[in-house]
Amino acid sequence: MHVFYTPDIGSDVYVLNEEESRHCTRVLRLGTGAVVYLIDGIGGLYKAEITGETKRQVNLRIIEVQKEYHKRRHYLHIAVAPTKNIDRLEWFLEKATEIGIEEITPVICDRSERKVVKEDRLNKVITAAVKQSLQAYHPRLNPQISLSAFLKQKNDSLKMIAHCVDAAARQYISDVVKPAGSYTILIGPEGDFTGQEIEMALQSGYKPLTLGNTRLRTETAALAACFEVNYLNR
Amino acid sequence: MHVFYTPDIGSDVYVLNEEESRHCTRVLRLGTGAVVYLIDGIGGLYKAEITGETKRQVNLRIIEVQKEYHKRRHYLHIAVAPTKNIDRLEWFLEKATEIGIEEITPVICDRSERKVVKEDRLNKVITAAVKQSLQAYHPRLNPQISLSAFLKQKNDSLKMIAHCVDAAARQYISDVVKPAGSYTILIGPEGDFTGQEIEMALQSGYKPLTLGNTRLRTETAALAACFEVNYLNR
């Protein structure tokens, strides 16, 4: 099953760009009559047939359309501190896309050793996972932002912050999440949020979360939250 | 918090081996009086004090012992086909250790592109995760085995096989798992199990599982199963 990401698809015909045309004809060795699948990133899954090809251009005709393919009834936004080793953040993006996530924001915290992420690179990772796991919805990656600025943004979803500071107040996601909701979950950097950051978040209406009694790495904590929210919305 | 893995710990004193002694004195720059933690891999978490050190030898005195530290009430064994790219299997081992797993068996299937795994290397990954996530129990890694041989082994746990062949019979883990049980979950290779392999497993008493309606990579499916079992046993 060959999948192409085609956010600019409009009519019942489509022309693959030069890079993807080369991939289609040279790597996949596909020719006229072959069937491929297109994803528009906003819920559309298209079955298409190759009607003609050159090395540089592959013409497709849409033969079947599914809208709102595997649409989820909830909306999950995870704001996570980029990991020092960027592979760990990229790994999270790939896995979260497979499991189910709508929006990701890299937040820079006081203890963040990494202060900069390459948005293009991270988006490529997400797009690859979208195609591989056949997600018709492309998760949205926001530009990086400081935690303090992020907390000031208008946000009407159910807001939660996972941290490791022992406090009886912390609850499990399953204690606070109701199905079919919209959620924002904050995940801190290696070394956790500072007490001041947690205080700021609580004052901004974030509910304190625990993800269990084991020490989880940043990217594992973020994925654990992603798993639990999707499980509760199954 | 400095943690050492010391499966051979016996009395109320312990001597770090040369490699770990060097790490302790050279890298961590710890000296007499410093406090470190030791994990025996079978549930024991030890608080210890350095009573003397040379470059090659660090002497420790145990000052506090916790047995059955974070003991789980369930037992999870995941038998997973090694991924073509070994990094993905190693990644699963690290994450499963963080989340909670008791036993792992690499099973070689008909569609396995990788037929061989390096046990030592995989065990190093597990041990590193054990220390990093402060797990007092070291997951057990079994030697690789063919699926057919694995299915012939005596196994009294609740047995499940996750596969992607559409069949109304497939259930969610949450439909079949009762808390505080012992479970074995089979996860197939890229390209899934063959129909014949699934049939063999069902005849061996394995219940067919679905992990949801998204296409998951082998290592993602294995971790999803690990998350769900731990969630259901929280």
Side-chain angles (χ1 to χ4, degrees), chain B residues 96-108:
Chain B
T97 300
E98 286 180 62
I99 299 302
I101 191 165
E102 280 63 44
E103 192 173 349
I104 305 114
T105 303
V107 285
I108 309 304

mmCIF file with all atom_site columns, all heavy atoms in Angstrom, chain B residues 96-108:
data_model
loop_
_atom_site.group_PDB
_atom_site.id
_atom_site.type_symbol
_atom_site.label_atom_id
_atom_site.label_alt_id
_atom_site.label_comp_id
_atom_site.label_asym_id
_atom_site.label_entity_id
_atom_site.label_seq_id
_atom_site.pdbx_PDB_ins_code
_atom_site.Cartn_x
_atom_site.Cartn_y
_atom_site.Cartn_z
_atom_site.occupancy
_atom_site.B_iso_or_equiv
_atom_site.pdbx_formal_charge
_atom_site.auth_seq_id
_atom_site.auth_comp_id
_atom_site.auth_asym_id
_atom_site.auth_atom_id
_atom_site.pdbx_PDB_model_num
ATOM 1  N N   . ALA B 1 96  ? 9.790  -0.100  27.585 1.00 0.00 ? 96  ALA B N   1
ATOM 2  C CA  . ALA B 1 96  ? 9.025  -1.104  28.336 1.00 0.00 ? 96  ALA B CA  1
ATOM 3  C C   . ALA B 1 96  ? 9.588  -1.228  29.748 1.00 0.00 ? 96  ALA B C   1
ATOM 4  O O   . ALA B 1 96  ? 8.841  -1.381  30.718 1.00 0.00 ? 96  ALA B O   1
ATOM 5  C CB  . ALA B 1 96  ? 9.071  -2.447  27.622 1.00 0.00 ? 96  ALA B CB  1
ATOM 6  N N   . THR B 1 97  ? 10.916 -1.111  29.873 1.00 0.00 ? 97  THR B N   1
ATOM 7  C CA  . THR B 1 97  ? 11.533 -1.182  31.198 1.00 0.00 ? 97  THR B CA  1
ATOM 8  C C   . THR B 1 97  ? 11.095 0.008   32.043 1.00 0.00 ? 97  THR B C   1
ATOM 9  O O   . THR B 1 97  ? 10.771 -0.146  33.228 1.00 0.00 ? 97  THR B O   1
ATOM 10 C CB  . THR B 1 97  ? 13.073 -1.210  31.076 1.00 0.00 ? 97  THR B CB  1
ATOM 11 O OG1 . THR B 1 97  ? 13.453 -2.351  30.311 1.00 0.00 ? 97  THR B OG1 1
ATOM 12 C CG2 . THR B 1 97  ? 13.732 -1.269  32.444 1.00 0.00 ? 97  THR B CG2 1
ATOM 13 N N   . GLU B 1 98  ? 11.020 1.181   31.438 1.00 0.00 ? 98  GLU B N   1
ATOM 14 C CA  . GLU B 1 98  ? 10.561 2.364   32.170 1.00 0.00 ? 98  GLU B CA  1
ATOM 15 C C   . GLU B 1 98  ? 9.113  2.208   32.627 1.00 0.00 ? 98  GLU B C   1
ATOM 16 O O   . GLU B 1 98  ? 8.755  2.545   33.752 1.00 0.00 ? 98  GLU B O   1
ATOM 17 C CB  . GLU B 1 98  ? 10.651 3.609   31.284 1.00 0.00 ? 98  GLU B CB  1
ATOM 18 C CG  . GLU B 1 98  ? 12.042 4.149   31.053 1.00 0.00 ? 98  GLU B CG  1
ATOM 19 C CD  . GLU B 1 98  ? 11.997 5.388   30.168 1.00 0.00 ? 98  GLU B CD  1
ATOM 20 O OE1 . GLU B 1 98  ? 11.387 6.396   30.563 1.00 0.00 ? 98  GLU B OE1 1
ATOM 21 O OE2 . GLU B 1 98  ? 12.556 5.343   29.051 1.00 0.00 ? 98  GLU B OE2 1
ATOM 22 N N   . ILE B 1 99  ? 8.272  1.693   31.720 1.00 0.00 ? 99  ILE B N   1
ATOM 23 C CA  . ILE B 1 99  ? 6.828  1.588   31.983 1.00 0.00 ? 99  ILE B CA  1
ATOM 24 C C   . ILE B 1 99  ? 6.514  0.412   32.898 1.00 0.00 ? 99  ILE B C   1
ATOM 25 O O   . ILE B 1 99  ? 5.666  0.519   33.797 1.00 0.00 ? 99  ILE B O   1
ATOM 26 C CB  . ILE B 1 99  ? 6.053  1.408   30.655 1.00 0.00 ? 99  ILE B CB  1
ATOM 27 C CG1 . ILE B 1 99  ? 6.270  2.607   29.744 1.00 0.00 ? 99  ILE B CG1 1
ATOM 28 C CG2 . ILE B 1 99  ? 4.561  1.178   30.913 1.00 0.00 ? 99  ILE B CG2 1
ATOM 29 C CD1 . ILE B 1 99  ? 5.847  3.926   30.349 1.00 0.00 ? 99  ILE B CD1 1
ATOM 30 N N   . GLY B 1 100 ? 7.195  -0.701  32.698 1.00 0.00 ? 100 GLY B N   1
ATOM 31 C CA  . GLY B 1 100 ? 6.970  -1.871  33.525 1.00 0.00 ? 100 GLY B CA  1
ATOM 32 C C   . GLY B 1 100 ? 6.769  -3.141  32.728 1.00 0.00 ? 100 GLY B C   1
ATOM 33 O O   . GLY B 1 100 ? 5.757  -3.321  32.059 1.00 0.00 ? 100 GLY B O   1
ATOM 34 N N   . ILE B 1 101 ? 7.764  -4.019  32.763 1.00 0.00 ? 101 ILE B N   1
ATOM 35 C CA  . ILE B 1 101 ? 7.679  -5.314  32.080 1.00 0.00 ? 101 ILE B CA  1
ATOM 36 C C   . ILE B 1 101 ? 8.536  -6.303  32.857 1.00 0.00 ? 101 ILE B C   1
ATOM 37 O O   . ILE B 1 101 ? 9.528  -5.914  33.480 1.00 0.00 ? 101 ILE B O   1
ATOM 38 C CB  . ILE B 1 101 ? 8.146  -5.196  30.607 1.00 0.00 ? 101 ILE B CB  1
ATOM 39 C CG1 . ILE B 1 101 ? 7.800  -6.456  29.828 1.00 0.00 ? 101 ILE B CG1 1
ATOM 40 C CG2 . ILE B 1 101 ? 9.655  -4.896  30.532 1.00 0.00 ? 101 ILE B CG2 1
ATOM 41 C CD1 . ILE B 1 101 ? 7.898  -6.279  28.322 1.00 0.00 ? 101 ILE B CD1 1
ATOM 42 N N   . GLU B 1 102 ? 8.117  -7.570  32.871 1.00 0.00 ? 102 GLU B N   1
ATOM 43 C CA  . GLU B 1 102 ? 8.860  -8.570  33.641 1.00 0.00 ? 102 GLU B CA  1
ATOM 44 C C   . GLU B 1 102 ? 9.730  -9.455  32.761 1.00 0.00 ? 102 GLU B C   1
ATOM 45 O O   . GLU B 1 102 ? 10.804 -9.882  33.165 1.00 0.00 ? 102 GLU B O   1
ATOM 46 C CB  . GLU B 1 102 ? 7.882  -9.444  34.436 1.00 0.00 ? 102 GLU B CB  1
ATOM 47 C CG  . GLU B 1 102 ? 7.378  -8.817  35.728 1.00 0.00 ? 102 GLU B CG  1
ATOM 48 C CD  . GLU B 1 102 ? 6.574  -7.541  35.514 1.00 0.00 ? 102 GLU B CD  1
ATOM 49 O OE1 . GLU B 1 102 ? 5.721  -7.499  34.603 1.00 0.00 ? 102 GLU B OE1 1
ATOM 50 O OE2 . GLU B 1 102 ? 6.829  -6.560  36.240 1.00 0.00 ? 102 GLU B OE2 1
ATOM 51 N N   . GLU B 1 103 ? 9.254  -9.763  31.560 1.00 0.00 ? 103 GLU B N   1
ATOM 52 C CA  . GLU B 1 103 ? 9.960  -10.737 30.734 1.00 0.00 ? 103 GLU B CA  1
ATOM 53 C C   . GLU B 1 103 ? 9.763  -10.423 29.258 1.00 0.00 ? 103 GLU B C   1
ATOM 54 O O   . GLU B 1 103 ? 8.680  -10.000 28.843 1.00 0.00 ? 103 GLU B O   1
ATOM 55 C CB  . GLU B 1 103 ? 9.407  -12.139 31.060 1.00 0.00 ? 103 GLU B CB  1
ATOM 56 C CG  . GLU B 1 103 ? 10.202 -13.290 30.516 1.00 0.00 ? 103 GLU B CG  1
ATOM 57 C CD  . GLU B 1 103 ? 9.686  -14.641 31.039 1.00 0.00 ? 103 GLU B CD  1
ATOM 58 O OE1 . GLU B 1 103 ? 8.849  -14.651 31.972 1.00 0.00 ? 103 GLU B OE1 1
ATOM 59 O OE2 . GLU B 1 103 ? 10.107 -15.679 30.492 1.00 0.00 ? 103 GLU B OE2 1
ATOM 60 N N   . ILE B 1 104 ? 10.827 -10.578 28.490 1.00 0.00 ? 104 ILE B N   1
ATOM 61 C CA  . ILE B 1 104 ? 10.783 -10.328 27.050 1.00 0.00 ? 104 ILE B CA  1
ATOM 62 C C   . ILE B 1 104 ? 11.413 -11.510 26.316 1.00 0.00 ? 104 ILE B C   1
ATOM 63 O O   . ILE B 1 104 ? 12.474 -11.989 26.724 1.00 0.00 ? 104 ILE B O   1
ATOM 64 C CB  . ILE B 1 104 ? 11.569 -9.054  26.658 1.00 0.00 ? 104 ILE B CB  1
ATOM 65 C CG1 . ILE B 1 104 ? 11.071 -7.845  27.445 1.00 0.00 ? 104 ILE B CG1 1
ATOM 66 C CG2 . ILE B 1 104 ? 11.470 -8.812  25.146 1.00 0.00 ? 104 ILE B CG2 1
ATOM 67 C CD1 . ILE B 1 104 ? 12.077 -7.271  28.417 1.00 0.00 ? 104 ILE B CD1 1
ATOM 68 N N   . THR B 1 105 ? 10.770 -11.959 25.265 1.00 0.00 ? 105 THR B N   1
ATOM 69 C CA  . THR B 1 105 ? 11.343 -13.009 24.424 1.00 0.00 ? 105 THR B CA  1
ATOM 70 C C   . THR B 1 105 ? 11.319 -12.564 22.970 1.00 0.00 ? 105 THR B C   1
ATOM 71 O O   . THR B 1 105 ? 10.251 -12.255 22.440 1.00 0.00 ? 105 THR B O   1
ATOM 72 C CB  . THR B 1 105 ? 10.539 -14.327 24.545 1.00 0.00 ? 105 THR B CB  1
ATOM 73 O OG1 . THR B 1 105 ? 10.498 -14.740 25.907 1.00 0.00 ? 105 THR B OG1 1
ATOM 74 C CG2 . THR B 1 105 ? 11.188 -15.419 23.707 1.00 0.00 ? 105 THR B CG2 1
ATOM 75 N N   . PRO B 1 106 ? 12.496 -12.499 22.333 1.00 0.00 ? 106 PRO B N   1
ATOM 76 C CA  . PRO B 1 106 ? 12.514 -12.222 20.892 1.00 0.00 ? 106 PRO B CA  1
ATOM 77 C C   . PRO B 1 106 ? 12.088 -13.495 20.142 1.00 0.00 ? 106 PRO B C   1
ATOM 78 O O   . PRO B 1 106 ? 12.711 -14.541 20.302 1.00 0.00 ? 106 PRO B O   1
ATOM 79 C CB  . PRO B 1 106 ? 13.983 -11.883 20.607 1.00 0.00 ? 106 PRO B CB  1
ATOM 80 C CG  . PRO B 1 106 ? 14.623 -11.677 21.962 1.00 0.00 ? 106 PRO B CG  1
ATOM 81 C CD  . PRO B 1 106 ? 13.846 -12.539 22.899 1.00 0.00 ? 106 PRO B CD  1
ATOM 82 N N   . VAL B 1 107 ? 10.984 -13.390 19.385 1.00 0.00 ? 107 VAL B N   1
ATOM 83 C CA  . VAL B 1 107 ? 10.499 -14.556 18.634 1.00 0.00 ? 107 VAL B CA  1
ATOM 84 C C   . VAL B 1 107 ? 10.703 -14.326 17.140 1.00 0.00 ? 107 VAL B C   1
ATOM 85 O O   . VAL B 1 107 ? 10.368 -13.269 16.604 1.00 0.00 ? 107 VAL B O   1
ATOM 86 C CB  . VAL B 1 107 ? 9.001  -14.827 18.896 1.00 0.00 ? 107 VAL B CB  1
ATOM 87 C CG1 . VAL B 1 107 ? 8.799  -15.433 20.255 1.00 0.00 ? 107 VAL B CG1 1
ATOM 88 C CG2 . VAL B 1 107 ? 8.178  -13.569 18.731 1.00 0.00 ? 107 VAL B CG2 1
ATOM 89 N N   . ILE B 1 108 ? 11.279 -15.332 16.487 1.00 0.00 ? 108 ILE B N   1
ATOM 90 C CA  . ILE B 1 108 ? 11.538 -15.240 15.057 1.00 0.00 ? 108 ILE B CA  1
ATOM 91 C C   . ILE B 1 108 ? 10.340 -15.827 14.305 1.00 0.00 ? 108 ILE B C   1
ATOM 92 O O   . ILE B 1 108 ? 9.942  -16.968 14.550 1.00 0.00 ? 108 ILE B O   1
ATOM 93 C CB  . ILE B 1 108 ? 12.824 -16.009 14.682 1.00 0.00 ? 108 ILE B CB  1
ATOM 94 C CG1 . ILE B 1 108 ? 13.984 -15.576 15.591 1.00 0.00 ? 108 ILE B CG1 1
ATOM 95 C CG2 . ILE B 1 108 ? 13.160 -15.767 13.211 1.00 0.00 ? 108 ILE B CG2 1
ATOM 96 C CD1 . ILE B 1 108 ? 14.272 -14.084 15.597 1.00 0.00 ? 108 ILE B CD1 1
#
